[in-house]
Amino acid sequence: MAVVLFFVFAGWVVCLGALGHVTNECRENTSEWKEGTGDEGILFRWSEPKNEDDEREYTCGINFSLDWWIIAFQFFMIIFGYLGVFVEFFHTKSTMGDLFAIATTLFTVFTSQYVRAGYMFSAGEHDDNTVAQGFKTAAAGGIVVCICNYIFMFMFGSEEQSEGAASAENKA
């Protein structure tokens, strides 16, 4: 199980770097992000900015804030997973399964948004668009995290069930 959590961590690091890259690109080139898709483009305007720098920081920050929270929640889940594997005190199957299910659901949403955004910026082409590559990299890391979270939930939850079934058979 620790190996699966290592792969979750590796996918998480990929997502962290890609999200940092995409957020940085947004802050440097906000005007380009508002072109081409609907009234506002990819970014949403939540209020009227005071100046252009304020608009960049606020608009990019508000649009990626949930993604940063999802990344932070997954990091705490990795720590909680390692504690559950190595420390008996944290070995609570139902709580662990519930929290990993929430983290996996959030990362599934994160990944689907980034797959869509990657196609919006590259129009399905394999070019040198750094923003599209950042979104695609985040989506790839998200896929790794989701798959490894599912594997971890199965392995961690099935261990207790198999022990419970074996002890029930011994009692009978």
Side-chain angles (χ1 to χ4, degrees):
M1 286 185 279
V3 173
V4 173
L5 284 172
F6 172 76
F7 286 122
V8 171
F9 180 73
W12 177 84
V13 168
V14 170
C15 288
L16 179 69
L19 183 57
H21 171 73
V22 168
T23 304
N24 184 52
E25 286 289 323
C26 175
R27 288 187 175 165
E28 290 180 359
N29 305 310
T30 307
S31 58
E32 294 175 15
W33 286 52
K34 292 184 178 175
E35 298 173 0
T37 56
D39 295 334
E40 294 285 331
I42 299 251
L43 300 177
F44 302 105
R45 177 172 281 151
W46 298 92
S47 69
E48 288 301 316
K50 297 174 189 165
N51 56 42
E52 188 175 327
D53 291 334
D54 184 44
E55 177 184 15
R56 286 183 181 167
E57 288 184 25
Y58 182 75
T59 304
C60 295
I62 200 74
N63 277 279
F64 293 116
S65 63
L66 179 61
D67 302 333
W68 285 107
W69 280 108
I70 292 171
I71 292 282
F73 184 68
Q74 182 63 47
F75 178 71
F76 289 114
M77 288 311 304
I78 293 168
I79 292 171
F80 192 55
Y82 274 116
L83 289 173
V85 169
F86 292 117
V87 180
E88 188 65 32
F89 178 72
F90 287 96
H91 207 71
T92 56
K93 302 275 186 192
S94 61
T95 303
M96 185 77 74
D98 294 344
L99 289 173
F100 263 91
I102 292 169
T104 305
T105 302
L106 289 173
F107 242 90
T108 302
V109 171
F110 169 89
T111 302
S112 68
Q113 291 174 346
Y114 278 56
V115 167
R116 181 183 55 82
Y119 281 113
M120 288 176 73
F121 271 95
S122 67
E125 300 291 325
H126 300 288
D127 56 3
D128 292 334
N129 185 334
T130 59
V131 176
Q133 294 300 325
F135 280 125
K136 290 176 183 179
T137 303
I143 290 168
V144 169
V145 169
C146 286
I147 290 171
C148 291
N149 275 354
Y150 281 121
I151 293 170
F152 179 78
M153 284 189 297
F154 177 75
M155 290 172 60
F156 197 77
S158 64
E159 179 183 303
E160 180 182 87
Q161 293 168 354
S162 64
E163 290 174 5
S167 64
E169 288 176 6
N170 291 337
K171 288 180 183 178

